[in-house]
């Protein structure tokens, strides 16, 4: 049997797996089944039963891009026995039990793992939205990958350079590239990221051109492309599941379905990096407890008044900070409530045993 070189998929060996165990990289996830690239080529796999018992949270479960240990079955379905340490991951908040204003839990949903670059993709049409890009950017900054903003469909907007300039001003120190998958404009500039064994993840809403861009980079149609709606320039989902593709030059792309909602999670570092200029102003305020509303000597208000801090940028900072605080407060409340419930149940059980309360 031909042995496939798994290092071409970015694997770096740190320790030898146990006997009977091989290493693979997850390239597709279909509900409870996984497609894994291994030394024996592609294999189908499921999670080993003990994995459900030992996993602590939803983020412990395998996702596209993960390197895993497999109990290989040459004649059937293999089993994933462990997920190897991730050097990067993109997560979002997943609210469970939503309904009637009630949230039962806030979980970390890991979208993908082990990538080098995060391509935040949006299109240069009427759905162009800086606020949405900055939300992705905040999460991307804490992922461990380098964020890059990709503005697609440049061929459909003759004045796209103004939008590029606007994006560069709102996302300083982040590379911004305008491209056209149809004409090939700007694609050569992406070669610095598309290197052998490197992995790039595509993130963005439906209809922004992720599938078209992937087809252009693959030099063949591997993804179906759907038309966007004319009234708002938004599209339908063409990517139905997360999948890792190997480009002709050996680079890899993880394509993800468009996200209608991106919940911020543990975003303190991302917000601080994205709005570093604003948080630098806080130390210049006259009072340490400045609320930046009407206090005298407020450096933030002064910057807004003299135009050095755009008011819209300040509003974006406040919006992301409020959302992140809500998520963190909710997680803390739910954790405390759960711990309190366990403590009460334990006390009640002991009290029944001692006769303090009747059964």
């Amino acid at each position: 049997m031909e042995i496939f070189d798994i290092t071409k998929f970015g694997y770096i060996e740190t320790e030898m797996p146990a006997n009977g165990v091989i290493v693979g990289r997850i390239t597709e996830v279909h509900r409870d089944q996984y497609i894994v690239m291994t030394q024996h080529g592609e294999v189908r796999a499921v999670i080993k039963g003990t994995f459900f018992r030992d996993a602590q949270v939803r983020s412990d479960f395998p996702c596209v891009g993960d390197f895993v240990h497999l109990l290989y079955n040459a004649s059937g379905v293999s089993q994933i026995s462990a997920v190897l340490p991730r050097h990067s991951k993109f997560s979002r908040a997943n609210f469970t039990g939503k309904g009637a204003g009630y949230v039962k839990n806030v979980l970390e949903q890991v979208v993908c793992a082990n990538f080098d670059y995060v391509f935040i993709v949006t299109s240069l049409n009427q759905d162009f939205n800086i606020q949405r890009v900055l939300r992705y950017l905040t999460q991307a900054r804490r992922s461990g990958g380098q964020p890059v903003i990709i503005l697609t469909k440049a061929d459909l907007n003759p004045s796209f350079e103004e939008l590029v300039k606007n994006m560069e001003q709102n996302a300083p120190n982040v590379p911004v590239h305008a491209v056209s998958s149809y004409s090939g404009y700007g694609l050569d500039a992406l070669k610095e990221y598309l290197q052998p064994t490197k992995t790039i993840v595509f993130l963005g809403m439906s209809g922004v051109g992720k599938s078209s861009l992937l087809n252009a980079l693959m030099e063949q149609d591997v993804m179906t492309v759907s038309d966007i709606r004319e009234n708002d320039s938004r599209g339908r989902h063409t990517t139905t599941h997360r999948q890792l593709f190997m480009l002709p030059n050996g680079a890899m792309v993880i394509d993800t379905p468009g996200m209608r909602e991106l919940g911020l999670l543990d975003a303190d570092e991302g917000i601080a990096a994205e709005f570093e200029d604003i948080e630098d102003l806080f130390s210049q305020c006259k009072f340490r407890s400045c609320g930046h509303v009407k206090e005298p000597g407020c450096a933030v208000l002064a910057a807004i008044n003299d135009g050095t801090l755009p008011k819209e940028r300040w509003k974006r900072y406040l919006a992301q900070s409020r959302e992140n605080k809500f998520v963190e407060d909710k997680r803390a409340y739910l954790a405390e409530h759960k711990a309190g419930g366990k403590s009460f149940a334990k006390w009640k059980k002991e009290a029944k045993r001692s006769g303090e309360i009747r059964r």
Side-chain angles (χ1 to χ4, degrees):
M1 178 183 293
E2 181 180 356
I3 300 298
F4 184 83
D5 185 3
I6 192 64
T7 62
K8 292 182 179 179
F9 273 75
Y11 175 65
I12 300 175
E13 185 175 298
T14 56
E15 60 181 60
M16 289 290 292
N19 290 335
V21 175
I22 64 172
V23 175
R25 188 173 196 189
I26 296 176
T27 59
E28 296 182 53
V29 177
H30 300 274
R31 293 182 180 270
D32 58 349
Q33 288 225 346
Y34 299 81
I35 304 298
V36 186
M37 178 57 68
T38 72
Q39 65 191 58
H40 304 299
E42 282 190 351
V43 303
R44 291 191 173 272
V46 295
I47 297 175
K48 190 179 178 183
T50 54
F51 196 97
F52 289 97
R53 183 192 66 198
D54 297 336
Q56 299 299 311
V57 293
R58 185 172 178 173
S59 59
D60 291 338
F61 282 83
C63 66
V64 169
D66 269 329
F67 293 101
V68 296
H69 278 167
L70 282 167
L71 300 176
Y72 178 62
N73 183 348
S75 58
V77 178
S78 300
Q79 288 185 322
I80 296 173
S81 59
V83 175
L84 301 184
R86 296 160 172 158
H87 70 77
S88 60
K89 64 177 181 178
F90 186 87
S91 303
R92 64 175 177 175
N94 181 49
F95 298 86
T96 65
K98 290 178 70 174
Y102 176 68
V103 177
K104 183 178 180 181
N105 206 351
V106 183
L107 301 176
E108 177 186 8
Q109 180 184 9
V110 181
V111 176
C112 54
N114 298 315
F115 46 82
D116 301 282
Y117 299 100
V118 180
F119 278 16
I120 302 171
V121 185
T122 194
S123 54
L124 291 160
N125 57 16
Q126 66 188 70
D127 194 41
F128 179 80
N129 187 310
I130 290 179
Q131 170 70 11
R132 186 185 305 127
V133 173
L134 293 183
R135 287 173 61 81
Y136 277 101
L137 187 55
T138 295
Q139 286 299 97
R141 286 187 183 276
R142 64 176 292 272
S143 70
Q146 179 183 331
V148 181
I149 297 173
I150 307 296
L151 306 180
T152 63
K153 306 182 183 181
D155 55 298
L156 301 179
N157 190 337
S159 57
F160 72 85
E161 292 182 356
E162 280 298 316
L163 296 180
V164 172
K165 183 178 179 181
N166 195 0
M167 182 60 72
E168 290 174 338
Q169 291 174 342
N170 280 275
N173 304 317
V174 178
V176 179
H177 298 279
V179 303
S180 168
S181 303
Y182 176 75
S183 68
Y185 173 84
L187 296 183
D188 284 345
L190 305 184
K191 289 181 179 178
E192 64 174 293
Y193 314 109
L194 303 171
Q195 299 296 321
T197 73
K198 298 295 183 181
T199 302
I200 298 92
V201 57
F202 285 3
L203 298 173
M205 289 188 66
S206 301
V208 297
K210 299 192 301 295
S211 296
S212 296
L213 179 57
L214 177 60
N215 287 341
L217 297 178
M218 286 289 291
E219 300 175 7
Q220 59 177 307
D221 291 341
V222 294
M223 298 297 294
T224 302
V225 178
S226 295
D227 293 332
I228 61 173
R229 299 192 298 258
E230 293 183 2
N231 61 329
D232 60 4
S233 292
R234 293 189 177 183
R236 297 180 297 274
H237 291 290
T238 52
T239 302
T240 58
H241 61 278
R242 300 176 188 108
Q243 184 172 353
L244 184 148
F245 294 86
M246 175 75 79
L247 301 186
N249 73 335
M252 287 158 284
V253 170
I254 298 175
D255 191 26
T256 64
M259 299 181 193
R260 297 188 184 278
E261 180 181 359
L262 175 65
L264 298 182
L265 181 71
D266 295 332
D268 289 331
E269 292 184 12
I271 292 173
E274 177 59 32
F275 298 96
E276 183 179 4
D277 55 329
I278 291 178
E279 298 204 346
D280 283 346
L281 291 172
F282 295 163
S283 62
Q284 302 174 32
C285 292
K286 183 177 181 180
F287 302 105
R288 294 182 62 183
S289 60
C290 184
H292 320 297
V293 179
K294 57 181 180 180
E295 293 83 353
C298 175
V300 173
L301 296 179
I304 293 174
N305 290 333
D306 66 22
T308 56
L309 173 60
K311 196 170 184 178
E312 286 302 313
R313 182 165 174 78
W314 172 240
K315 288 181 179 179
R316 292 183 185 117
Y317 172 82
L318 291 177
Q320 291 196 20
S321 297
R322 281 194 294 265
E323 179 182 348
N324 185 54
K325 187 177 187 304
F326 167 79
V327 172
E328 294 308 306
D329 288 349
K330 191 68 179 179
R331 292 175 78 188
Y333 166 77
L334 291 170
E336 183 178 349
H337 182 72
K338 186 176 181 180
K342 288 182 177 180
S343 297
F344 177 75
K346 184 178 180 181
W347 170 83
K348 188 176 180 180
K349 185 176 182 180
E350 293 296 328
K352 284 181 178 180
R353 287 178 178 175
S354 63
E356 290 183 39
I357 60 175
R358 294 183 179 180
R359 296 181 182 273

